[in-house]
Amino acid sequence: MSSTADEPNRYDQPLPADRELLSERRLSRWHWRRLLRGRVRPLLAAGLAGALLGAGGMAWQTQAGPFAPDEVCWGALSRDDLAPTFRKPEDVKAVEAPVLHGGRSMDGPTGSCQLTNSDGDEWALTARVHRLDDRAGDDDKWADEFLSARLTPLGGGLLGMASDNRAWLAVPDGCLGRPGDLDGPTVVDIAQGSSITDMEPLTKERDAMARMVVKLVNKVSADLGCTGTIADPVERLPKAARYTRTEKPDALCGIKGLSLGKKRKPDKYPMITDGHGPVRTCDRGITGSQPEQRLMTVEDPRLAAIFTRMTLHEGDRVDSAAGYGGLGPNLGVFRARCQAGPTVFLVQANEAEMSADLRTLFPRYVEAEAARLGCGPLNLKLPQPGGSR
């Protein structure tokens, strides 16, 4: 917050003339006050000012105390921007790592910002700038959190999504250039609390997260020397995702013709991505931090790149003249080239009861989605049970 002007310090006021003369007469010739006259006094004063500025600089980096600015996270967010998320935005403290780029970062722009309220850690929010990179093999967790069905695509050609506790947006290609086939985009993401919950997301909070991530990307892009500004996306967003309670046995996850066979009625209400965007995710049996089952199609080629390692090394090989992938006990994944470019189809089972259906559901899901996107049939050849690559 902006600090007010300091009040005059009563200890710095000049002495009355008679008192000053009296005090001077009492000083011996070698007294330290005499030594401060002439050139020595300005030098010491400058040293003291430098020490105070140094202390102030440290407070500014941690953005705490009387030097805390009104804007946080690289100067992108005002206290008003934090009001929908924090109960006391004026008390929010920020700890930042500056956004490094160019020769200072080998992995593209990187930076982080953590906001903490006086209410405690449960109200903490973390913003990051980083490149999605499959080489490290840790983007699976990012996909679990930031590609869930809770998130709504931002639309308008933006590569990004938002929910009431997660949001992400890619820095525009015109700023950093389009990533290569093995590289994901550079994104800004923000996270608060648990990644997935069984509660339906709240539209108002989702909108606030969407606005924040757009402002962060605009500021990061400007600091990188890029031109152009992304407009507020909230007006075009639909309502936040809801559970689908009208699912038909022969249209699992809203996909016509997709079933488990024998007209078996599903016993879990799914949540499905609302709106057209980079991914279409169907999460079933959501309990706590992850769904029991996920069916996901990654339609944007830039995001498909972060699944390269998975499609090459997961489970036993799935053969096809139109692509490649793998099938394991709990995960089936396949990559094909569709009209928009490389596309990834994924079926994941996190519960034993769902794993039993994986071998049946996976090829049917991939073929159905490929038909929807106009890149089928793929004619998958599954490995024998217990086979190997």
Side-chain angles (χ1 to χ4, degrees):
M1 298 178 61
S2 301
S3 58
T4 57
D6 295 336
E7 296 182 359
N9 191 328
R10 62 188 180 89
Y11 295 106
D12 293 336
Q13 303 304 307
L15 293 171
D18 55 340
R19 290 183 61 188
E20 186 171 356
L21 290 175
L22 178 61
S23 64
E24 292 288 342
R25 286 197 297 269
R26 291 178 179 174
L27 295 176
S28 61
R29 293 179 180 231
W30 52 267
H31 196 277
W32 61 270
R33 269 196 188 171
R34 293 187 181 275
L35 294 178
L36 289 179
R37 290 180 177 176
R39 296 181 179 178
V40 178
R41 182 180 291 179
L43 289 174
L44 288 179
L48 178 60
L52 291 175
L53 286 174
M58 182 65 69
W60 181 264
Q61 290 295 323
T62 59
Q63 299 195 0
F67 297 102
D70 285 333
E71 292 78 25
V72 295
C73 290
W74 316 298
L77 304 177
S78 69
R79 300 288 166 168
D80 289 340
D81 295 327
L82 304 182
T85 305
F86 293 95
R87 296 174 183 171
K88 298 179 180 179
E90 68 278 4
D91 294 338
V92 170
K93 296 180 180 179
V95 179
E96 299 181 10
V99 178
L100 302 179
H101 57 91
R104 296 181 295 168
S105 174
M106 299 296 292
D107 298 318
T110 59
S112 64
C113 172
Q114 185 174 50
L115 303 177
T116 307
N117 206 334
S118 57
D119 290 328
D121 292 341
E122 64 178 310
W123 292 103
L125 184 146
T126 301
R128 298 182 301 165
V129 182
H130 61 113
R131 187 172 66 192
L132 301 178
D133 187 354
D134 184 59
R135 294 181 181 89
D138 58 359
D139 282 332
D140 296 355
K141 186 176 185 298
W142 186 89
D144 286 345
E145 296 186 18
F146 289 92
L147 300 183
S148 79
R150 290 180 63 87
L151 282 85
T152 304
L154 297 181
L158 299 178
L159 180 56
M161 307 176 77
S163 73
D164 53 355
N165 59 16
R166 292 291 186 278
W168 65 275
L169 177 59
V171 177
D173 291 345
C175 181
L176 296 176
R178 193 174 179 89
D181 292 340
L182 299 179
D183 294 322
T186 295
V187 302
V188 177
D189 59 42
I190 51 178
Q192 181 184 38
S194 300
S195 59
I196 301 175
T197 70
D198 54 5
M199 301 293 292
E200 292 181 330
L202 304 175
T203 299
K204 181 179 178 181
E205 286 74 4
R206 187 274 314 267
D207 292 351
M209 295 287 278
R211 286 194 172 102
M212 277 195 286
V213 78
V214 165
K215 290 189 175 184
L216 287 166
V217 167
N218 282 335
K219 184 60 169 64
V220 169
S221 297
D223 290 346
L224 292 174
C226 306
T227 58
T229 301
I230 299 173
D232 187 334
V234 170
E235 291 300 323
R236 62 172 172 263
L237 297 183
K239 290 184 178 180
R242 295 289 182 265
Y243 287 107
T244 302
R245 293 176 169 83
T246 57
E247 187 181 41
K248 297 179 180 180
D250 60 346
L252 297 183
C253 293
I255 301 172
K256 187 176 181 180
L258 181 62
S259 72
L260 288 170
K262 299 180 181 180
K263 297 293 183 178
R264 195 172 86 193
K265 186 176 181 179
D267 59 354
K268 306 290 185 182
Y269 291 130
M271 183 178 289
I272 305 171
T273 303
D274 193 353
H276 180 72
V279 301
R280 184 185 188 274
T281 302
C282 173
D283 286 333
R284 308 180 65 84
I286 300 171
T287 56
S289 61
Q290 63 179 192
E292 294 179 4
Q293 186 182 70
R294 171 172 290 179
L295 290 76
M296 181 168 68
T297 300
V298 185
E299 300 183 32
D300 192 286
R302 292 166 291 183
L303 276 186
I306 71 175
F307 294 91
T308 300
R309 181 185 60 85
M310 183 185 296
T311 54
L312 288 173
H313 302 295
E314 177 63 34
D316 299 324
R317 179 170 295 279
V318 175
D319 292 322
S320 171
Y324 56 90
L327 177 63
N330 301 303
L331 177 67
V333 60
F334 190 82
R335 173 184 167 122
R337 180 167 291 276
C338 295
Q339 294 178 354
T343 302
V344 170
F345 309 95
L346 179 146
V347 177
Q348 182 176 6
N350 297 313
E351 295 292 332
E353 62 184 49
M354 295 290 187
S355 298
D357 294 328
L358 179 63
R359 190 176 181 87
T360 300
L361 193 58
F362 171 63
R364 295 180 180 182
Y365 174 74
V366 174
E367 294 290 0
E369 281 291 86
R372 178 178 68 87
L373 297 176
C375 53
L378 300 179
N379 298 318
L380 303 188
K381 296 179 182 179
L382 300 187
Q384 293 296 322
S388 64
R389 284 181 174 263

